[in-house]
Amino acid sequence: MNLSMKWLSDYVNIDAEPRKFCYDLTMTGSKVEGYEVEGSDIKNVVVGKLLSVVPHENSDHLLVCQVDVGKSEPIQIVTGANNVKAGDLVPVALDGSELPGGVHIKKGRLRGVESNGMLCSLGELKLTKHDFPYAIEDGIFIIQEDCKPGDDIHDAIGLNDTSVEFEITSNRPDCLSVIGLAREAAATYCLPFDPPEPKYNGVSGDIGEFLNVTVENIRLCKRYIGGVVRNVKIEPSPRWLRERLRASGVRPINNLVDITNYVMLEYGQPMHAFDARYVSGHEIHVRNAKEGETITTLDGVVRELSPEMLVIADAEKPVAVAGVMGGEYSGIMDDTVDVIFESACFDGASVRRTAKKLGMRTDSSARFEKGLDPKGCMPAILRAFELVELLKCGEPLDKVIDRGERSHERKTVDFDPKWINRFLGTDISREDMIGYLERIGFEVVLNKVIVPSFRVDIECKADVAEEVARFYGYNNIQGAELTGVANAKLTPKQKLLRKIEASCTALGLYEIETFSFISPKYYDKINLPADSKLRSGVTITNPLGEDTSVMRTTVMPSLCEVLARNYNYRNPSAAVFELGSEYIRTEEGKLPDEPVRLSVGLYGNGADFYTVKGIVESFFDSIGIDGVEYEAAVNGCGFDELSMFHPGRVAVAKINGEPIAILGEMHPAVAENYGIGTRTYCAKLNVTELLDIGTAERTYKPLPKYPAATRDISLVCDDEVPVASLEKLIKGAVGAVLEKITLFDVYKGEQIAGGRKSVAFSIVMRSSDGTLTDEQADAAMKRVKKALDGAGAEIR
């Protein structure tokens, strides 16, 4: 909402600089975004009177002008415009002046003739023909205002207003008006506020001969007032009205249209004017649209209506979309004779749904959708008729048709000063509270606050307390310690999730966050089997589009999209992770399961299978999980995402035999689907299943008191035997004294038979009860040899 300070002065005189005004209003709850002084980018431009205009001696299209600019001597200016003559008043940019767009004017010579400035057009002053209808667009601006040579151009043409931009929250539609903001300003500066009641004389006549109104849907149209203006005269609005519209960001059009816009800005009540010629039968029916009906709106677009939309119709067809926009033939034209004025209150939710479905949002719909006061309809139409008479542009009938809500009952809320002080942590007297409330139109009777009808946001005692607080001053409310005992703390699962994020970051991964809804086509891109249960997801009822139409059942497509985007942006390497949810369909009518998953993806910078395996191992170590076993992943491994990995370069991590993670290299076909031209490695970990066994706390272990015994062992086994299975056998055979086992060599060569390999481990043993003897260490190694013999491995 842009507020003209000149317009504001009609209701309350504020003696404050714009910056101070903006600060003060913000501190009382009316947030200001900024302010703009009209014509601030125009400097050293004055009114000049052309004394003479003669042809340039060296040019057939230039003119040499002698101009009176209010100084002792006239100045000479050369111009190329051909619409000037002696006696005209024109804007003159003097030597050293500035114009919009950063244009600087300096004196110089044109075709050998001295020129000491420039004559300005509308465009050069950042104005349009709508601001000054008598001017021409392609030529010098010939001023017809009451001014004299030497007058500053800002004052001469009314380019001297200050516009303050407010950010109006959705719960304060009353502030989407000059009167509403004037009320707030008056309350802020403790000034009286008593806006005059609009009045008009009108002409006698039977309005029933010109208009009949029927409201068929009272729920969506709470009130509808219709009036008639006869014998209208369409012409430009006076300058003062055009100036106020311009300062408010609204383009002037003609007097009748400008009146409706003026009233909307002043009272916050949208209005519409219909050309009575195009209202068939002189009937207005406020009803729901019929199936298949269409309307051509004022912007010339044919729009298809649906039955849930509210329309204004005549005896034959819709002539306006209620609260949004009028129809093509309802607008005011140059030959309009009789006009029907509409002032109505439509249901906000209905207007918003209609505007959204039709893809159009107007100043009118923006106000209606926030919820307006039905009692504001009558003052608005009275003000419109008052302006019609003031501008002498028509004859309003002295009666109107009023349909709908006319109740004078006002909302009440309990008034409890003790509760308010306790709620705010203040010590404000009852009298002061009443004073704050009365400033903004509230009344206090005994222990009740009577809420003005325009304050649709006031519902309970806390709302009243907010009104008290903002005028008492938020800065005046002293800080206080919280009472009671605060026992809030993170749960063990919350701690673990934060530990997971911290550990991934420590491993050099960047966190990503992706949408939970994806396209079904994403499953094809990761080669998910056609019969996979993961393809049966939750479908979104009202999706933004096909690309966001289902809730994801696996996090891997989202991860791949991010990796592909980084690769296509020519990032040479990427290493990312996401802690996100999957949405697994359950029984019909029930919410889906939402297990938490950790996805990891990387490419470049020397990454390989062992890089991603090391990340997974470090992750398990960081949350205190031991005993993780890794196996080659095959069909039935527990992860339907197996198809997105390269066969033979993918593994499953298990804990107590249960698959908990899958990791490996991305399948070349999947990489091609995503346009990734390098080897890429991914992992998915089932975090929800880890929350009960992992820990965010690290238990202190004292340094060992006794020395360790180390034994190396070299084995020969078949090439197909996994090293991990040998390691598992060694761990079981050594028993409780095993501290560490390390694979340090795998050899295939001339000294080893074909189809065989040599594997060497370093075994570190230590006892917490005392120093291990050679006999104990040797006994452990004998158990190892026996276990390995049974597995087909020979000591080398």
Side-chain angles (χ1 to χ4, degrees), residues 587-779:
E587 298 179 24
E588 189 68 30
K590 291 188 176 182
L591 293 175
D593 288 335
E594 300 182 26
V596 179
R597 302 295 183 236
L598 174 66
S599 58
V600 175
L602 63 156
Y603 68 81
N605 203 22
D608 58 15
F609 174 86
Y610 296 102
T611 305
V612 70
K613 183 172 183 286
I615 290 173
V616 173
E617 288 177 333
S618 298
F619 163 78
F620 283 129
D621 180 66
S622 69
I623 59 174
I625 293 180
D626 298 321
V628 180
E629 299 176 357
Y630 297 87
E631 298 178 359
V634 295
N635 288 333
C637 66
F639 289 93
D640 281 17
E641 295 91 343
L642 174 64
S643 56
M644 70 168 285
F645 290 93
H646 192 301
R649 298 177 187 173
V650 57
V652 171
K654 294 184 176 182
I655 299 177
N656 298 325
E658 292 296 324
I660 207 71
I662 186 169
L663 60 142
E665 181 181 332
M666 183 184 290
H667 196 290
V670 175
E672 183 178 353
N673 289 342
Y674 283 98
I676 303 176
T678 187
R679 290 189 173 185
T680 305
Y681 301 88
C682 304
K684 171 186 168 180
L685 297 91
N686 296 343
V687 173
T688 296
E689 290 78 354
L690 295 172
L691 293 178
D692 292 329
I693 58 177
T695 176
E697 306 293 336
R698 300 304 294 247
T699 304
Y700 167 74
K701 293 182 180 180
L703 293 173
K705 296 181 180 180
Y706 305 104
T710 302
R711 297 287 189 273
D712 292 342
I713 184 171
S714 181
L715 313 170
V716 177
C717 62
D718 291 341
D719 198 15
E720 294 81 11
V721 176
V723 174
S725 64
L726 300 176
E727 183 178 307
K728 184 177 180 180
L729 288 172
I730 294 172
K731 287 180 179 179
V734 175
V737 296
L738 178 67
E739 182 177 89
K740 184 179 180 183
I741 179 171
T742 305
L743 172 71
F744 67 86
D745 182 57
V746 176
Y747 173 74
K748 299 177 186 178
E750 295 179 358
Q751 300 178 18
I752 304 298
R756 308 274 283 176
K757 63 183 175 183
S758 172
V759 181
F761 294 95
S762 176
I763 303 170
V764 179
M765 296 172 283
R766 193 192 305 269
S767 172
S768 59
D769 299 326
T771 302
L772 275 179
T773 63
D774 288 340
E775 291 77 10
Q776 291 174 310
D778 292 340

Side-chain angles (χ1 to χ4, degrees), residues 395-408:
E395 301 171 351
L397 296 185
D398 57 0
K399 298 290 191 299
V400 297
I401 296 176
D402 189 358
R403 300 282 188 266
E405 182 177 323
R406 283 179 256 181
S407 171
H408 296 288

Side-chain angles (χ1 to χ4, degrees), residues 41-43 45 79-81 91-93 98-103 105 118-128 136-141 153 157 159:
D41 49 1
I42 299 175
K43 296 179 181 178
V45 178
T79 180
V92 178
E98 296 181 11
L99 296 175
V103 177
I105 304 300
M118 184 179 78
L119 308 185
C120 301
S121 66
L122 280 175
E124 286 160 340
L125 297 176
K126 208 175 180 179
L127 298 171
T128 69
I136 64 173
E137 291 184 296
D138 300 325
I140 300 302
F141 176 23
I153 197 65
I157 64 174
L159 197 64

